[in-house]
Amino acid sequence: MIPTPDMDCLAFAGHALIARGSPRDVLPAVMGASERAGETGRGVLVFDRASGRTVEFDLRGDLETALARLPTAAPEAKRGPGRPKLGVTAREVTLLPRHWDWLATQPGGASVALRKLVEAAMREAEGPDRVRRGREAAYRFMTALAGDLPGYEDAVRALFAGDQAGLETAVTGWPEGVSGCVADMLSCSS
């Protein structure tokens, strides 16, 4: 994953948390730890806190050169057909004839009715979706960084069972930065 300016990154050298913050904040620590990694044999991994995915930095050159390569603003989304000022995008929807008949009778037409239905479904699923995203992020993070730690399998089982006490027990012997980041990813999702 390529870093974005608003990303909250977690940088680890081995199992030790060495930096947390925006890509610009963590890059100096990542470069320093990467230089020392040859001496210690411990790799440096950077994660996106929201998704648990690894983040790739281009570490060629000196710190100023690497910082200059970081994106400074989110890339502008390519606009296609639709109402660009409103952010509306035209796509295909496949429905049964009775669904189209019902949509045709709704005030504002099919598009307005579909937007209202989607918004209502998004509000209703917000809590469960947030919990699912937190579990998935914690799982990705644990798999990449803690797969070799004792109690990993028990931690994964407890994570997906929603057993908070079992998860806390399973990660008890883990380095503080690793167990703390797992708890943080889950707390942001509840």
Side-chain angles (χ1 to χ4, degrees):
M1 166 180 264
I2 296 172
T4 60
D6 59 342
M7 186 179 282
D8 188 8
C9 296
L10 305 165
F12 283 84
H15 293 123
L17 179 63
I18 58 170
R20 177 182 179 167
S22 72
R24 291 195 172 286
D25 294 338
V26 302
L27 185 59
V30 169
M31 287 191 75
S34 293
E35 290 171 5
R36 292 186 300 275
E39 302 165 14
T40 63
R42 297 168 65 190
V44 177
L45 288 174
V46 181
F47 297 91
D48 171 26
R49 185 177 150 272
S51 70
R53 296 184 194 284
T54 56
V55 179
E56 301 293 327
F57 285 99
D58 186 349
L59 302 178
R60 294 175 294 159
D62 63 359
L63 178 59
E64 287 184 27
T65 306
L67 283 170
R69 278 193 295 268
L70 288 176
T72 55
E76 179 115 4
K78 183 179 176 186
R79 297 188 185 229
R83 295 177 167 171
K85 289 185 181 179
L86 299 177
V88 176
T89 305
R91 301 229 177 127
E92 182 178 336
V93 176
T94 307
L95 299 172
L96 295 172
R98 68 176 183 264
H99 299 147
W100 286 114
D101 292 342
W102 180 83
L103 285 170
T105 65
Q106 300 306 303
S111 293
V112 171
L114 286 172
R115 282 194 291 273
K116 286 180 181 178
L117 290 169
V118 170
E119 288 293 330
M122 287 171 57
R123 278 191 302 278
E124 185 178 310
E126 184 177 350
D129 283 350
R130 191 174 37 246
V131 169
R132 178 187 47 79
R133 284 190 305 268
R135 282 185 182 157
E136 289 172 356
Y139 175 69
R140 281 187 205 99
F141 172 77
M142 287 170 36
T143 300
L145 195 64
D148 61 342
L149 293 175
Y152 167 77
E153 291 86 4
D154 293 334
V156 170
R157 278 192 285 277
L159 174 70
F160 285 105
D163 179 7
Q164 186 66 31
L167 179 61
E168 289 172 7
T169 301
V171 303
T172 298
W174 291 8
E176 186 177 323
V178 176
S179 61
C181 286
V182 169
D184 183 48
M185 288 176 177
L186 292 173
S187 69
C188 289
S189 65
S190 354

